[in-house]
Amino acid sequence: MNSNKLFEGAFPYVDDILALPVEDIDRASAWYRDAFGLNEVERRDQPVPTVILERDGVRIGFAVNGGDASNDGAAILVTDIHRARQEVEANGVETGNWRVDEMDGKKFQVFFVIAPDGLCYYFHQPLESGENS
């Protein structure tokens, strides 16, 4: 197992983790590369302009598909929430709402990022029983 792995999974709020709505593919690709450390792995023009980025085997895609970015985004499961927050902030991105959420009887340390395109990201990591950050 790669101990440097940070991203474990990404789950869309609305429809498709490989087609989150953006207005400009080039701008999106550059921002997510710089902000989240993603690497571009695929680009296509049909049926709509789309770019797929990846980190640690986790793929997130962006498409000029007319969707409403302000009502979409993704939950990103990470291996180390503190490292994720430090990395994102070191890349000049504002994070917010550092808190502990409870879902299905499990606790998660979380924070949010609102990207310039309006997409919202919910970074989260399960907490061990009794752990609070």
Side-chain angles (χ1 to χ4, degrees), residues 25-66:
I25 289 296
D26 293 327
R27 188 171 55 227
S29 182
W31 192 85
Y32 289 100
R33 179 191 64 235
D34 295 343
F36 292 176
L38 298 169
N39 295 305
E40 187 173 319
V41 295
E42 183 180 341
R43 189 179 281 240
R44 56 183 179 261
D45 293 323
Q46 297 299 324
V48 297
T50 302
V51 64
I52 308 294
L53 298 125
E54 180 179 69
R55 177 166 181 178
D56 302 324
V58 175
R59 290 183 170 213
I60 302 173
F62 304 92
V64 180
N65 56 19

Side-chain angles (χ1 to χ4, degrees), residues 111-133:
F111 70 88
F112 290 82
V113 169
I114 305 295
D117 51 33
L119 292 167
C120 178
Y121 295 91
Y122 175 83
F123 285 80
H124 63 292
Q125 177 188 13
L127 292 173
E128 297 299 322
S129 184
E131 177 184 4
N132 280 323
S133 294

Side-chain angles (χ1 to χ4, degrees), residues 3-133:
S3 62
N4 289 327
K5 181 177 179 176
L6 184 60
F7 282 38
E8 284 194 301
F11 313 93
Y13 295 154
V14 180
D15 291 322
D16 186 353
I17 196 65
L18 298 179
L20 297 176
V22 295
E23 291 183 9
D24 184 297
I25 289 296
D26 293 327
R27 188 171 55 227
S29 182
W31 192 85
Y32 289 100
R33 179 191 64 235
D34 295 343
F36 292 176
L38 298 169
N39 295 305
E40 187 173 319
V41 295
E42 183 180 341
R43 189 179 281 240
R44 56 183 179 261
D45 293 323
Q46 297 299 324
V48 297
T50 302
V51 64
I52 308 294
L53 298 125
E54 180 179 69
R55 177 166 181 178
D56 302 324
V58 175
R59 290 183 170 213
I60 302 173
F62 304 92
V64 180
N65 56 19
D68 182 359
S70 68
N71 286 314
D72 210 340
I76 299 176
L77 178 64
V78 295
T79 61
D80 183 336
I81 194 75
H82 296 280
R83 185 174 131 216
R85 184 176 179 207
Q86 288 171 339
E87 186 178 297
V88 167
E89 288 177 346
N91 291 336
V93 177
E94 185 177 330
T95 64
N97 220 352
W98 178 259
R99 67 180 193 223
V100 174
D101 282 355
E102 188 168 333
M103 293 174 282
D104 299 324
K106 296 180 184 176
K107 290 186 178 186
F108 295 83
Q109 183 68 52
V110 309
F111 70 88
F112 290 82
V113 169
I114 305 295
D117 51 33
L119 292 167
C120 178
Y121 295 91
Y122 175 83
F123 285 80
H124 63 292
Q125 177 188 13
L127 292 173
E128 297 299 322
S129 184
E131 177 184 4
N132 280 323
S133 294

